[in-house]
Amino acid sequence: MTHSNTRTGTGDVDPAVRAELARLRDSIDNIDAAVVHMLAERFKCTQQVGHLKAVHQLPPADPAREASQIARLRRLAENAKLDPAFAEKLLGFIIAEVIRHHERIADDTANGSVSTPSATEDDTTGPGE
């Protein structure tokens, strides 16, 4: 069996490999941070959507919009060389969470226990629509 040249005689990982791993992991950490911040912004918007729907007695779920978003995301994933099934699962999870939040907002609004959010409200507990 042939072994890669990435280890030194002492069994330690080659410093160049460690440096490359560190560089790649730093990039991954930066991307993860950006994803979290983007999701937080998305959730802020969907909270406002939920309040708007509740005030106007619109249903928390919009199956036509959801289907359109899933199809759009699958196309984006294909173009980005990302597994469309994975992208659909991710969006499905986000949509389910948004609907759950919209249902809670609708219930709270119907019970008179919620005020309309401001544009600067910092409620990032729910994902996007």
Side-chain angles (χ1 to χ4, degrees), residues 7-68:
R7 294 187 179 267
T8 65
T10 62
D12 291 3
V13 176
D14 184 316
V17 172
R18 284 189 189 275
E20 182 66 2
L21 280 171
R23 184 188 68 75
L24 291 168
R25 288 175 175 162
D26 284 346
S27 291
I28 290 167
D29 292 349
N30 288 339
I31 292 166
D32 288 347
V35 167
V36 167
H37 287 284
M38 290 171 65
L39 283 172
E41 285 302 311
R42 188 178 199 281
F43 299 164
K44 287 176 189 178
C45 291
T46 61
Q47 290 294 312
Q48 292 177 19
V49 167
H51 285 279
L52 190 60
K53 285 180 172 184
V55 167
H56 295 281
Q57 299 178 339
L58 297 170
D62 184 344
R65 165 113 171 120
E66 294 159 22
S68 172

Side-chain angles (χ1 to χ4, degrees), residues 42 46 62-77 84 87-92 94-95 98 128-129:
R42 188 178 199 281
T46 61
D62 184 344
R65 165 113 171 120
E66 294 159 22
S68 172
Q69 286 294 91
I70 288 169
R72 185 179 73 84
L73 192 68
R74 285 186 69 89
R75 286 189 306 273
L76 288 170
E88 184 172 345
K89 280 184 193 177
L90 178 62
L91 186 62
I94 291 171
I95 289 171
V98 168
E129 181 187 66

Side-chain angles (χ1 to χ4, degrees), residues 80-126:
K81 307 287 190 262
L82 178 68
D83 179 7
F86 169 77
E88 184 172 345
K89 280 184 193 177
L90 178 62
L91 186 62
F93 173 79
I94 291 171
I95 289 171
E97 186 69 8
V98 168
I99 291 169
R100 189 178 71 77
H101 284 265
H102 287 188
E103 289 169 343
R104 187 201 71 227
I105 292 167
D107 288 346
D108 290 349
T109 300
N111 296 328
S113 59
V114 167
S115 63
T116 303
S118 70
T120 59
E121 179 176 302
D122 191 24
D123 184 0
T124 59
T125 59

